[in-house]
Amino acid sequence: MKLNIAVLAGDGIGPEISVQGVAVMTAVCKKFGHEVDYKEALVGAAAIDAVGDPFPENTFRICKEADAVLFSSVGDPKFDNDPTAKVRPEQGLLAMRKKLGLFANIRPVQTFKCLVHKSPLKDELVNGADFICIRELTGGMYFGEKHEGDDMAYDTNKYTRPEVERILKVAYEYARRRRKHLTVVDKANVLASSRLWRKVAQEMALNYPDVTTDYMYVDNAAMRMIQEPTFFDVMVTENTFGDILTDEGSCITGSMGLLPSASTGESTPVFEPIHGSWPQAKGLNIANPLAQILSVAMLLEYFGLQAEGDLVRRAVDASLDANVRTPEIQVEGGAKYGTKEVGQWIVDWIEKQ
Ligand code: IPM
Ligand code: MN
């Protein structure tokens, strides 16, 4: 197979973890005889600094023409505490999602046995937790009509039936391939938009009799995720709720640096870690590259390259088992490895297989 990959490293720790993701991708592709070509492009604060636009036209073109985007992270503190800033790095990410029509964000919440002790939850609650949050990514408050005045401001949480139907379809298809349990998360007791979600879901459930559908208010879901994370198999929800719940989900596993995600839709799919740009760690060689590396596994699997994705996952497991870990997940007394060293160890392991 020949793959053209757009590499959008972005800000903060983005460039450091991106290098490791690319190295792993290259090693796997070499092993299986795939040809892979990379094109780097600017996004986020890096793009604002260079050309004044967080998602420049040239980056859009490179993404459009690629088979997949390997994205890292955007965000820079110089914009965070300045509510008057006209352009922000995050707008680059939102523009990318909108322009590529990436309406489905797939965020797996998976535990790693050897890291369960790092979770803030008790082992017996976390053990075996394995679910996927499917977050709608191009609608709702993020993109609805906005007004920002000095004395009044609002965001509109608008959803249309086709938008709800297409994301539910993705969710049902995931549920079918998994444990056949879908939880639709909404706030239908208060929000009109949520009542549309629920109505559409109830209609669609009839077409998926093999899947058990249940409905849960978002406040309740937030609680249940902590009380009994193993309850969930596939969860589907709107953009804003999904943003919040997936941060919560990432904590369950013990480190935010471990979870990858895929965003798919109408055009080129994007694969990225769910964590942010962690600007304080920039250049320190301490960021965990595993979420980025597992994003490469998701990318390969998206193209049907199961054995290739599996090799990446096994390499990640092997590095954890060998205690080759970045500081935040290292066991007491264990050596602390840097971003580069973890990446290199994984590449070497793959080459030896
Ligand atoms: C995420 C991030 C983004 C979001 C930010 C950076 C705009 O938090 O991907 O979850 O809110 O969607
Ligand atoms: Mn978020």
Side-chain angles (χ1 to χ4, degrees), residues 71-351:
F71 187 96
S72 300
S73 55
V74 291
D76 190 298
K78 71 182 175 206
F79 299 93
D80 285 349
N81 297 319
D82 178 7
T84 64
K86 286 271 172 297
V87 281
R88 297 173 175 280
E90 290 77 10
Q91 287 166 348
L93 183 57
L94 299 182
M96 178 179 76
R97 290 172 180 170
K98 198 66 178 179
K99 287 185 151 180
L100 294 176
L102 302 168
F103 64 85
N105 183 219
I106 320 295
R107 296 190 166 182
V109 175
Q110 210 194 328
T111 50
F112 293 82
K113 255 209 164 61
C114 58
L115 290 179
V116 165
H117 67 282
K118 281 278 173 190
S119 170
L121 303 185
K122 293 194 193 96
D123 289 16
E124 63 263 31
L125 285 183
V126 184
N127 257 324
D130 169 18
F131 63 94
I132 296 189
C133 181
I134 312 243
R135 168 186 174 194
E136 200 292 325
L137 204 57
T138 52
M141 275 195 281
Y142 275 64
F143 296 99
E145 189 198 320
K146 289 176 193 296
H147 171 78
E148 203 161 342
D150 277 342
D151 300 312
M152 200 262 287
Y154 60 76
D155 304 277
T156 316
N157 201 30
K158 183 177 135 199
Y159 272 104
T160 63
R161 174 178 280 268
E163 283 175 326
V164 179
E165 277 171 357
R166 67 183 180 178
I167 190 73
L168 284 170
K169 187 160 179 276
V170 172
Y172 270 114
E173 271 154 22
Y174 268 90
R176 265 200 169 149
R177 279 183 302 203
R178 290 176 49 100
R179 300 191 301 275
K180 301 188 169 42
H181 176 198
L182 179 66
T183 306
V184 180
V185 176
D186 62 29
K187 188 73 187 169
N189 49 347
V190 177
L191 302 177
S193 50
S194 280
R195 284 193 286 276
L196 176 68
W197 273 72
R198 197 170 278 216
K199 192 161 87 186
V200 174
Q202 281 167 346
E203 288 168 19
M204 282 178 71
L206 304 174
N207 302 328
Y208 297 89
D210 49 326
V211 175
T212 306
T213 308
D214 46 37
Y215 305 89
M216 204 181 273
Y217 297 142
V218 62
D219 45 354
N220 187 224
M223 189 171 72
R224 193 78 183 258
M225 276 170 64
I226 298 296
Q227 279 180 333
E228 195 193 359
T230 51
F231 170 83
F232 296 100
D233 175 18
V234 177
M235 143 191 318
V236 64
T237 192
E238 62 149 85
N239 204 345
T240 307
F241 297 161
D243 178 46
I244 299 166
L245 292 180
T246 52
D247 262 34
E248 185 186 348
S250 74
C251 275
I252 295 175
T253 61
S255 167
M256 238 199 162
L258 288 177
L259 298 184
S261 78
S263 301
T264 64
E266 295 156 5
S267 177
T268 317
V270 175
F271 300 86
E272 58 175 309
I274 87 146
H275 60 70
S277 60
W278 197 17
Q280 302 80 358
K282 179 180 175 169
L284 300 181
N285 195 36
I286 56 171
N288 194 337
L290 294 186
Q292 180 83 78
I293 291 171
L294 288 167
S295 302
V296 170
M298 285 188 92
L299 186 161
L300 293 164
E301 287 155 2
Y302 176 90
F303 289 101
L305 305 174
Q306 293 304 330
E308 289 82 340
D310 192 55
L311 183 60
V312 175
R313 292 182 193 280
R314 283 191 291 126
V316 166
D317 285 342
S319 72
L320 291 169
D321 289 343
N323 278 329
V324 177
R325 307 179 184 189
T326 42
E328 90 289 2
I329 54 169
Q330 187 49 284
V331 289
E332 235 176 78
K336 295 188 168 77
Y337 289 80
T339 314
K340 284 186 208 149
E341 289 71 28
V342 172
Q344 188 60 51
W345 193 96
I346 289 174
V347 167
D348 292 344
W349 191 91
I350 288 170
E351 283 171 355

Side-chain angles (χ1 to χ4, degrees), residues 10-70:
D11 309 321
I13 57 169
E16 294 162 63
I17 57 168
S18 176
V19 169
Q20 302 313 321
V22 167
V24 169
M25 173 98 192
T26 305
V28 178
C29 287
K30 193 161 160 228
K31 177 128 240 136
F32 283 85
H34 303 303
E35 209 181 306
V36 50
D37 190 48
Y38 305 100
K39 280 208 174 59
E40 290 182 17
L42 290 167
V43 70
I48 297 177
D49 291 343
V51 296
D53 178 350
F55 190 62
E57 206 47 40
N58 188 45
T59 299
F60 177 46
R61 191 180 47 78
I62 290 173
C63 292
K64 258 321 248 196
E65 288 168 3
D67 297 310
V69 177
L70 189 63

